[in-house]
DNA sequence: ACAATTTTGTTATGATATAACAAGTAAAAC
DNA sequence: GTTTTACTTGTTATATCATAACAAAATTGT
C-alpha cells in the first residue's frame, strides 16, 4: 500500500469533537483556496469565497439550491445562475467535489493534491467521508488502459452504513 | 486476478459488428429478464418490457425523457410517472443501471449475476462500457470495512477517451 | 363474482440546471 | 489615468430531471 489517507468531512453537530475541530478545517480550506487561486491567477471573489465557506460549514454535502438560499439570506443575488457559477468555478479549481448520486456539493479536503473524489456515503445519517486510495486509482488506470481507454476522471461513490450508525443499530436491537 | 470481464454495451451505429451482434444482446437480455421476473414473481408488463427493450436498443445510456418520447411514439402513456415507474421497476430488478453522472439509464449485461455497475464513459462519443472487476470490489469492501463502514452499493463511473476516439484523434492530428 | 393487490392514468408540482444577453467591475494596455 | 479588454455578475426565461397524490383499471387470490 503506497499511500492511503482519509478525512472525516462531516460531523453530527456543530460542536467541536475531541479529535476534530471543524472550524480549523474550514480555515485551512479557505487558506488553501486563496493560495491556489492566487497561484493560478484565478479570482476568488466574494460570492465564490462565501460559497466555499458555506459548503464547508455544512456538515453534509450541500445542494445548489440550499446554498443559494444561504447566500440569499446574506444579501447575495438569489437567482440560480449565481450559485451555479460559483459552483462551476469551485469545481474547476478543484476546491469542491460534486457527489453525483446526491446532486450535492462537498468541500474538497485535498485541493492542493490534485486528486479525484472517492466517497463513503452513509445511508442513515448522510454524512460523507472522502478518502483517497492510490491502490485503487492505479488499478483503475491499468484496467482502463487494458481496454484502450484513457482515464481522465473518476466518480467513486460508495454507500452503506457508517461506523456510528452501525453501532447505533446494534445498540437499538440489543 | 480472480475474475475480470467486460462487455461493450454500445456501438457507433445499429449495424452489426463482426464480433458483436447487438440484437443478440437484446434478445439475451430480454430472455434473462423474463426468467428473473418469473422466478421472483415479478410482473414484466408491456411498458416495462418495452422500456427495457428500448434501453437496450439505444447505443448509449438513455435519458428518462428520451425513453418517454419513444414510448409515447408507440402509443404508451406519455406522462413522466409512466417512465419513472418502469425505470424504478427495472432498476429494482437489477435489469438496468443508472449512470449517475449522466442521469441516464443503461441495460445491465449481468442481470443474473448480482453485481454493481462499473462504467467506462467516453467523453467524446458518450459510449459506455460496463465492466466488472472483482479485485477492485474486494479492495473497496476491505477499505470501507477498515473504517468501520459497511458497504452496500457502489457507484463507479470512469470518464475519459475510449480506444476508438483516441485512435480518431491521433489520425486527425497526423 | 368478490376482495385484495398491483399497476397504470392523470394532473400538478418540485428539484436541478442552463441559455442568453445586459450591466457592472477589475485588470491590462496604452 | 483613461481607455480597452477580459472577466464577473445581474436578470429573465426556460430546459431538464423527478416525484406527490389520487383516481381508474387490470390482475391475482379466494
Amino acid at each position: 500500500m503506497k499511500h492511503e489517507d482519509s478525512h472525516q468531512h462531516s460531523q453530527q453537530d456543530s460542536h467541536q469533537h475531541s479529535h476534530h475541530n471543524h472550524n480549523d478545517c474550514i480555515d485551512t480550506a479557505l487558506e488553501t483556496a486563496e493560495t491556489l487561486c492566487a497561484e493560478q491567477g484565478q479570482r476568488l471573489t466574494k460570492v465564490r469565497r462565501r460559497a466555499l465557506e458555506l459548503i464547508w460549514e455544512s456538515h453534509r454535502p450541500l445542494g445548489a439550491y440550499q446554498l443559494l438560499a444561504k447566500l440569499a439570506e446574506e444579501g447575495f443575488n438569489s437567482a440560480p445562475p449565481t450559485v451555479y457559477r460559483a459552483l462551476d468555478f469551485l469545481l474547476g479549481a478543484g476546491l469542491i467535489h460534486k457527489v453525483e448520486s446526491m446532486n450535492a456539493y462537498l468541500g474538497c479536503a485535498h485541493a492542493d493534491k490534485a486528486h479525484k473524489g472517492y466517497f463513503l456515503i452513509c445511508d442513515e445519517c448522510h454524512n460523507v467521508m472522502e478518502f483517497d486510495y492510490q491502490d485503487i486509482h492505479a488499478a483503475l488506470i491499468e484496467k482502463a488502459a487494458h481496454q484502450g481507454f484513457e482515464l481522465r476522471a473518476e466518480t467513486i461513490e460508495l454507500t452503506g452504513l457508517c461506523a456510528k450508525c452501525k453501532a447505533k443499530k446494534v445498540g437499538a436491537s440489543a
Side-chain angles (χ1 to χ4, degrees), chain A:
Chain A
M1 230 168 262
K2 278 173 226 159
H3 172 75
E4 179 176 351
D5 105 89
S6 83
H7 177 88
Q8 168 63 277
H9 271 199
S10 337
Q11 55 186 52
Q12 286 300 109
D13 53 43
S14 59
H15 301 92
Q16 296 173 6
H17 278 203
S18 50
H19 60 292
H20 178 125
N21 183 336
H22 196 61
N23 291 329
D24 289 350
C25 279
I26 301 175
D27 293 348
T28 308
L30 266 290
E31 273 173 42
T32 307
E34 300 273 15
T35 310
L36 281 174
C37 288
E39 278 174 13
Q40 295 166 25
Q42 298 277 64
R43 286 156 60 189
L44 191 63
T45 61
K46 276 188 191 175
V47 217
R48 291 168 177 176
R49 202 194 137 87
R50 190 62 190 136
L52 181 57
E53 266 175 357
L54 286 168
I55 288 171
W56 270 103
E57 281 171 15
S58 164
H59 306 139
R60 320 197 189 306
L62 200 59
Y65 281 72
Q66 290 174 277
L67 176 56
L68 186 57
K70 285 175 193 270
L71 287 170
E73 277 176 22
E74 301 182 8
F76 288 97
N77 180 24
S78 67
T82 299
V83 77
Y84 281 104
R85 281 166 184 156
L87 289 171
D88 281 350
F89 175 85
L90 297 170
L91 285 168
L95 297 169
I96 61 172
H97 292 294
K98 178 174 185 184
V99 182
E100 294 288 352
S101 54
M102 301 177 78
N103 291 320
Y105 305 83
L106 186 69
C108 168
H110 315 283
D112 46 347
K113 281 191 198 161
H115 73 299
K116 42 271 140 226
Y118 289 10
F119 304 110
L120 288 174
I121 304 164
C122 181
D123 287 330
E124 292 282 325
C125 65
H126 302 105
N127 274 352
V128 174
M129 291 199 328
E130 183 177 357
F131 69 99
D132 184 13
Y133 194 4
Q134 291 303 123
D135 277 9
I136 288 175
H137 177 60
L140 289 174
I141 288 179
E142 197 202 335
K143 170 70 181 169
H146 190 254
Q147 311 205 4
F149 195 95
E150 186 186 314
L151 202 55
R152 279 185 196 149
E154 302 162 52
T155 299
I156 304 214
E157 299 174 6
L158 312 180
T159 58
L161 211 54
C162 75
K164 276 187 193 173
C165 290
K166 200 161 60 175
K168 231 177 275 178
K169 282 216 161 180
V170 171
S173 65

